[in-house]
Amino acid sequence: MPTDSPAPADTPRTPPAPAAPVPAPFPERAALPDPGPAPTLRDPDAQAPGPGGPASATPRGYRAVFAVAEFRAVFAAHLLSLLGVVVSELALTVLVYDLTGSPLLSALTFALGLLPYIVGGTLFAGVADRYPARRVLVVCDLLCAACVAVMLVPATPVAGLLALRCLVAAIAPVFTGTRMAALTDILGEGDLYVLGRSLLRIVSQSAMLIGFGAGGMLLTVLSPRGAITVTVVTFLCSAALLRFGTQDRPARATTGEGAGGTLLKESLSGARLVLGDRRIRALMLLFWLPAMFVVAPEALAAPYADAIGASPAALGLLLCAMAVGHIGAELFVGSALSPRNRSRIVLPVAAVGLLPLLVYAVRPGLPLALAALALAGAGAAYVIGLDQWFVDAVPQELRGRAMTVLTAGLMTVQGLGMALAGLAAEFFPVHQVVAGSGIVGTVCTLLLVAEVRRTDPGGCRIPKNETGLTGM
């Protein structure tokens, strides 16, 4: 399925395609995760494997997550489908450009990968709690495989290709939200869940870097439709892994408000309950707001590289620097810090995470810009602790819908942030727009941090596994 953090790219085989949006630093398309070193600090909860794991309590940290057989299936399915999606996005953009010669339609292919998230995440969120998670995940993968298969038909018009792209994007938040909620069943609600989510995010960031390169190489030997075929295979493999590698568990929404009504009623009721809760709303916004502002330097990387006279190779470095910083910081925080310390850094790191963008105010050269971007990417590591707060705040019967809304909103605000940054760059120099994003984003985040503190019930920042509860 699509990842927690989708990001488009555009490298045509023959005619030059227009510049495309770049990978967003947060994840989740993936979501959207990857193996990391064993933690250096002892963490009692991290030693206990989740349901389905081995009885021995020897693995710790990320290794403890991989000791859970069901998670290994989820991880492999995520990696396969994510790589397939990245390749298909690249190939589909090239295909649309080849068929139409229109830069606008080619760029629209990427936009349609973000815009339908809010529709799918709002109208279909009820699916995540109304039906068993395994069934939802497998059906989503099969629907996406069918949509991509239709794209391969030569008779499919460009309008049909774009419509199918929209449909796949509308399914993505349902899949991602369901998977996020299912991880609490597979790994429990404690530290293993937090590290499992971290792994999925790291894979999302890594796969973007690898997938775009792999897609570009594939397009040198295959036609765009030939490259898109890879995605059909990856979706089918993902469905098989989830079907035969995970347990069948009952649906969550058997009781409570909205249960038993129509799907639309359940979806809207769940969104209303989630957004109506002050604590959950504040935590959700803490995921969204920094992500909205931090995309500005990546969205404007091409014009900034041109403004400072950087080479195409330097542009590639500008696009990769934030992801590299994010991956490194997340691996460090997930492996070297205890759950208590991960919770302690959430608000301070979130508050200062956008400050490195202020370096752009002096129109820095390539080395200083790369350092600032890497630091800004590292600031996203606060979400590891935030994941635990969020799962603690959301009732189990609302968890699938809450995480679907979270995913849909995250993708939507990143797309909006890219669009606003591009609009601002029409009137102001690029370096001022990026610096301004850092200033405005920091002010907004500080206000939000104050709201999160006000809604803190008092014990949410002490992880369950450090108060005698395992959360398993």
Side-chain angles (χ1 to χ4, degrees):
M1 252 315 294
T3 78
D4 297 344
S5 298
D10 192 357
T11 54
R13 293 172 302 134
T14 44
V22 293
F26 287 82
E28 285 284 349
R29 190 141 58 130
L32 339 196
D34 276 314
T40 56
L41 301 181
R42 290 190 173 273
D43 181 355
D45 187 60
Q47 297 179 13
S56 172
T58 51
R60 295 193 300 271
Y62 287 124
R63 288 188 294 183
V65 179
F66 278 113
V68 181
E70 281 189 89
F71 179 79
R72 293 197 298 269
V74 172
F75 180 86
H78 176 64
L79 179 60
L80 278 173
S81 62
L82 177 58
L83 288 172
V85 166
V86 173
V87 170
S88 72
E89 286 185 343
L90 187 59
L92 183 60
T93 303
V94 174
L95 177 61
V96 170
Y97 188 82
D98 286 348
L99 292 173
T100 65
S102 169
L104 174 61
L105 289 177
S106 182
L108 185 61
T109 304
F110 290 109
L112 292 178
L114 295 175
L115 297 178
Y117 262 76
I118 192 64
V119 177
T122 302
L123 301 184
F124 306 131
V127 171
D129 290 319
R130 184 170 185 162
Y131 302 102
R134 187 177 73 176
R135 186 189 309 171
V136 173
L137 296 175
V138 171
V139 169
C140 284
D141 266 339
L142 293 177
L143 286 174
C144 288
C147 290
V148 177
V150 176
M151 294 179 187
L152 299 176
V153 178
T156 304
V158 172
L161 293 174
L162 297 180
L164 290 166
R165 180 76 180 93
C166 283
L167 184 56
V168 171
I171 295 170
V174 177
F175 179 93
T176 304
T178 303
R179 185 186 60 202
M180 289 167 63
L183 281 183
T184 63
D185 299 325
I186 295 171
L187 300 173
E189 300 177 5
D191 196 47
L192 289 187
Y193 166 79
V194 173
L195 293 177
R197 288 275 296 123
S198 171
L199 283 171
L200 295 182
R201 271 193 301 269
I202 294 169
V203 157
S204 297
Q205 293 290 323
S206 303
M208 293 301 168
L209 303 178
I210 298 170
F212 289 137
M217 289 189 293
L218 274 176
L219 288 172
T220 65
V221 296
L222 296 175
S223 67
R225 282 193 169 92
I228 291 172
T229 305
V230 173
T231 304
V232 179
V233 176
T234 59
F235 276 137
L236 293 176
C237 290
S238 174
L241 283 166
L242 294 170
R243 171 61 180 81
F244 299 107
T246 61
Q247 296 180 23
D248 190 17
R249 296 179 174 87
R252 287 184 177 80
T254 55
T255 60
E257 184 173 342
T262 65
L263 174 60
L264 180 59
K265 179 182 176 182
E266 284 188 30
S267 300
L268 295 178
S269 172
R272 177 173 56 82
L273 289 171
V274 168
L275 296 175
D277 183 283
R278 185 178 177 185
R279 174 66 178 172
I280 297 175
R281 183 174 63 246
L283 295 177
M284 197 171 285
L285 287 171
L286 195 56
F287 280 103
W288 291 349
L289 270 183
M292 178 178 176
F293 290 100
V294 81
V295 297
E298 290 191 315
L300 300 174
Y304 186 73
D306 181 65
I308 63 173
S311 65
L315 172 59
L317 292 175
L318 288 171
L319 295 178
C320 295
M322 197 174 289
V324 170
H326 183 182
I327 292 169
E330 184 133 7
L331 280 172
F332 172 78
V333 172
S335 61
L337 299 186
S338 67
R340 180 184 294 272
N341 286 332
R342 284 188 224 123
S343 277
R344 284 174 172 166
I345 69 169
V346 171
L347 297 183
V349 173
V352 303
L354 294 170
L355 290 180
L357 300 186
L358 270 62
V359 170
Y360 272 76
V362 298
R363 200 168 177 265
L366 184 62
L368 189 55
L370 291 176
L373 291 174
L375 285 174
Y382 77 92
V383 299
I384 300 183
L386 189 58
D387 277 334
Q388 184 66 68
W389 295 5
F390 191 73
V391 78
D392 289 345
V394 178
Q396 183 182 16
E397 65 275 10
L398 276 176
R399 199 163 284 157
R401 282 169 284 181
M403 292 182 174
T404 300
V405 171
L406 172 63
T407 301
L410 183 60
M411 299 310 303
T412 301
V413 299
Q414 288 180 98
L416 180 61
M418 289 180 180
L420 290 176
L423 178 63
E426 292 290 327
F427 302 96
F428 302 98
V430 171
H431 68 283
Q432 292 181 6
V433 172
V434 175
S437 295
I439 295 171
V440 176
T442 298
V443 172
C444 292
T445 303
L446 287 173
L447 294 174
L448 188 53
V449 163
E451 173 66 4
V452 171
R453 288 188 183 280
R454 283 193 294 268
T455 61
D456 187 345
C460 66
R461 276 174 283 172
I462 301 177
K464 292 180 180 179
N465 57 339
E466 297 200 11
T467 60
L469 300 175
T470 65
M472 305 303 291

